[in-house]
Amino acid sequence: MDPRTAVRLWKSGRTAPLQIGCRWELVRTDFTLGTAAVSQLKAGGAHIGPYLMGGAERVIWWLLPLGTGKRLAAVPGAAVYPRGAEIFAPPPGRYLGDRVWVLPDQAGEWWNTLTSADDLRAALDAAARRLARRAAHETGDAHNPSN
């Protein structure tokens, strides 16, 4: 979709279908893994570009530079969208269609600089390990009668 058409839809209070593979690639994670990855990225000082959160769907969609999405294809919990697919997105700064953009403002580059696929992969891997340890610990505590 032409960016002008998206802006026109947004100005009329509607979501706009954004096509994947023209300006960026898209990877989806569930909300728990995605928010844990955000924490990892912040802790490591990595740049976090814009991402889209879906409330009822409980997912996060990450925009990545063209040609880099395939680096996450084998990451458990990450789904890479194919070129040409579309995602309906609200206007920046507005909650619409049960979705909202998260636009981290880091040195004024919040919209133009996307999250690095390599940084996201490392963050997702570390977050998955941390979540697995937490789940194992909670399961162990649940079976311990002294707790």
Side-chain angles (χ1 to χ4, degrees), residues 3 8 17 19-20 25 36 41-42 51 55 61-62 83 89 101 103 108 112 116-117 123-124 142:
R8 195 168 37 255
Q19 190 173 46
I20 295 144
E25 293 187 15
L41 289 164
K42 286 180 181 178
Y51 56 93
W61 293 275
W62 300 87
R83 179 180 175 88
W101 284 106
L103 308 170
N112 296 321
S116 155
L124 288 169

Side-chain angles (χ1 to χ4, degrees), residues 27-97:
V27 172
R28 184 192 75 232
T29 63
D30 73 63
F31 187 79
T32 302
L33 180 60
T35 54
V38 168
S39 295
Q40 286 293 137
L41 289 164
K42 286 180 181 178
H47 171 77
I48 304 171
Y51 56 93
L52 188 61
M53 290 180 22
E57 297 152 305
R58 297 200 41 79
V59 298
I60 294 179
W61 293 275
W62 300 87
L63 279 69
L64 303 176
L66 283 174
T68 66
K70 62 184 172 257
R71 296 178 192 166
L72 285 100
V75 174
V80 179
Y81 279 59
R83 179 180 175 88
E86 291 181 333
I87 184 165
F88 283 83
R94 229 175 125 206
Y95 183 82
L96 184 66

